């Protein structure tokens, strides 16, 4: 689109929209930059794009709104991983403790895995139920760092 057009500043496929957002300190997302570089032929050669690209590369553009999701943090994923290991170990211990009990005695008790998850959730200060902890552990199995994803296959 030609720069003299009145729509140059507002067309999301034009570099003018990035200039407008950058000058007015509005949020620019990576998808916006990708779209402009893909659709606008002159965007890569325009020297006015350089400050936007540098700010994007350095992570200085406005960040996402709202509270960051703590479940994506490395430390939280690590705590859930170690809690999963402890839940497995504690469930084995509970099963061993219950071997001598009759069926009638064990009928009123929780499943060993769920009981272990309740205990470990309290120990690790997770403010969730044991069932929720088991769900988080199972959903993390696809994670490349802590689950059975690409990084763990050796």
């Amino acid at each position: 689109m030609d720069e003299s057009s009145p729509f140059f500043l507002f067309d999301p496929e034009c570099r003018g929209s990035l200039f407008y957002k950058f000058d007015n300190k509005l949020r620019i997302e990576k998808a916006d930059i990708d779209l402009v570089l893909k659709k606008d032929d002159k965007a890569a050669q325009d020297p006015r794009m350089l400050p936007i690209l540098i700010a994007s590369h350095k992570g200085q553009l406005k960040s996402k709104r709202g509270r960051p999701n703590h479940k994506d943090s490395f430390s939280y994923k690590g705590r859930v991983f170690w809690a999963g290991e402890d839940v497995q170990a504690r469930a084995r211990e509970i099963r061993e403790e219950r071997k001598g009990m009759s069926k009638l005695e064990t009928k009123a008790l929780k499943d060993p895995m769920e009981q272990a998850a309740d205990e470990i959730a309290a120990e690790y200060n997770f403010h969730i139920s044991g069932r929720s902890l088991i769900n988080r552990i199972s959903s993390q199995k696809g994670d490349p760092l802590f689950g059975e994803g690409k990084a763990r296959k050796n």
Side-chain angles (χ1 to χ4, degrees):
M1 179 177 292
D2 189 45
E3 290 188 30
S4 62
S5 170
F7 302 108
F8 180 71
L9 294 178
F10 305 105
D11 183 12
E13 296 180 355
C14 255
R15 61 192 185 280
S17 66
L18 293 180
F19 301 151
Y20 177 78
K21 288 179 180 180
F22 190 71
D23 292 340
N24 293 317
K25 298 187 183 347
L26 298 174
R27 193 167 60 140
I28 300 174
E29 296 179 3
K30 185 182 182 295
D32 297 336
I33 296 173
D34 290 343
L35 179 68
V36 168
L37 289 175
K38 190 167 136 183
K39 298 285 185 174
D40 194 347
D41 300 334
K42 298 177 185 175
Q45 293 87 20
D46 194 343
R48 295 176 295 175
M49 284 288 290
L50 197 57
I52 297 170
L53 295 175
I54 290 173
S56 171
H57 181 70
K58 289 184 175 181
Q60 295 173 343
L61 295 176
K62 281 187 113 178
S63 61
K64 290 182 180 176
R65 294 182 185 143
R67 182 189 294 181
N69 190 355
H70 75 283
K71 294 176 192 167
D72 294 334
S73 71
F74 187 76
S75 64
Y76 183 80
K77 286 181 179 183
R79 287 178 58 215
V80 171
F81 173 76
W82 289 114
E85 298 292 320
D86 289 348
V87 165
Q88 294 290 333
R90 180 67 184 126
R92 271 187 249 112
E93 291 173 8
I94 292 171
R95 283 188 196 101
E96 289 296 321
E97 292 170 3
R98 292 184 183 176
K99 273 193 176 175
M101 297 175 121
S102 68
K103 287 225 183 232
L104 187 60
E105 290 173 322
T106 58
K107 194 167 188 136
L109 299 175
K110 282 186 176 179
D111 176 51
M113 185 68 92
E114 195 168 339
Q115 182 181 344
D118 279 333
E119 294 172 11
I120 299 301
E123 183 181 322
Y124 276 78
N125 289 329
F126 290 126
H127 301 289
I128 57 176
S129 68
R131 191 83 223 133
S132 295
L133 179 60
I134 292 171
N135 288 338
R136 291 217 180 133
I137 292 167
S138 67
S139 68
Q140 192 169 319
K141 294 219 187 233
D143 189 84
L145 286 176
F146 295 105
E148 296 160 356
K150 295 175 187 169
R152 293 273 314 255
K153 288 184 180 177
N154 288 341

